[in-house]
Amino acid sequence: VDCIVFWTKNPANMLPRLDLLENYPYYFQFTLNPYDQELEPGVPPKPEVIDTFKRLSDKLGQDRVIWRYDPILVNERMDLSWHGQSFAMLAGKLHDYAAGCVISFVDYYKKLDKSFKAKDIAELDRKKMRELAVRLSAIAKEYGLKLETCAEEIDLSDMGIGHGRCIDPELIGN
């Protein structure tokens, strides 16, 4: 095993068992979005998830707990302004526990068509992606967070947003 990468929205049950992994290199991709129970059933309330993020980061260090704000879903209620406010709120709570944040915009797949239509989820065009990226980049800079995309075609480097990797060889090597 070169490295284990845990991809999760709620690693709370792993916290007391981390010592079992002491002989393995590992890190966490921790998805923490502002979505409610309708979109994320089974995910604990946000204050609880934020607390879990902080406790995990305290145990492993902020470089081994990657905050993911993805996928970015947009509808009439969750518009670009809402995402800006939500990202700012989360960044304010997580900036001392995360080195940065990985964002991605939702990819509209045919198999998701029915559920997206039921929640009025819209696909973002490049103009709106860039508009939101400007807001998120400014917020990330305000909190000293490095912002990257994951598996995105759009180039946002002119806004200070790098192209990240889902599995980071830099983290595996550490």
Side-chain angles (χ1 to χ4, degrees):
V1 174
D2 290 327
C3 183
I4 301 169
V5 180
F6 296 99
W7 220 292
T8 183
K9 291 183 179 191
N10 183 21
N13 62 344
M14 295 184 71
L15 287 172
R17 297 176 181 92
L18 292 176
D19 59 321
L20 298 172
L21 297 168
E22 66 185 34
N23 295 323
Y24 301 97
Y26 69 96
Y27 68 95
F28 283 79
Q29 295 270 359
F30 194 132
T31 301
L32 207 165
N33 295 321
Y35 307 129
D36 59 20
Q37 290 289 314
E38 181 183 347
L39 286 174
E40 294 185 329
V43 176
K46 291 300 170 243
E48 190 176 320
V49 178
I50 291 167
D51 180 64
T52 298
F53 190 102
K54 291 176 177 181
R55 289 188 296 134
L56 184 63
S57 178
D58 282 344
K59 284 184 178 239
L60 301 181
Q62 60 178 232
D63 291 333
R64 290 178 58 204
V65 182
I66 310 304
W67 173 29
R68 298 185 64 91
Y69 186 94
D70 78 311
I72 296 172
L73 305 173
V74 177
N75 63 18
E76 193 172 300
R77 180 178 62 88
M78 301 180 305
D79 61 8
L80 302 186
S81 178
W82 181 86
H83 275 289
Q85 292 169 0
S86 298
F87 185 80
M89 181 275 297
L90 289 170
K93 294 182 184 297
L94 300 177
H95 72 276
D96 288 333
Y97 301 91
C101 182
V102 175
I103 62 169
S104 70
F105 302 98
V106 70
D107 292 318
Y108 205 86
Y109 297 108
K110 188 71 175 163
K111 72 178 188 175
L112 298 174
D113 193 42
K114 192 176 188 180
S115 62
F116 277 18
K117 281 184 180 174
K119 294 175 177 58
D120 294 319
I121 302 297
E123 191 168 13
L124 286 175
D125 60 30
R126 288 186 180 274
K127 182 181 176 191
K128 288 191 176 179
M129 286 181 192
R130 292 185 64 76
E131 185 180 332
L132 181 57
V134 167
R135 293 178 191 190
L136 300 185
S137 179
I139 294 163
K141 284 179 187 158
E142 178 183 335
Y143 286 104
L145 294 166
K146 179 181 176 185
L147 198 57
E148 295 182 324
T149 61
C150 179
E152 290 292 337
E153 284 184 29
I154 191 168
D155 182 6
L156 302 172
S157 58
D158 59 319
M159 296 173 200
I161 301 173
H163 272 293
R165 297 179 175 170
C166 294
I167 306 298
D168 190 336
E170 299 283 324
L171 287 172
I172 291 173
N174 292 338

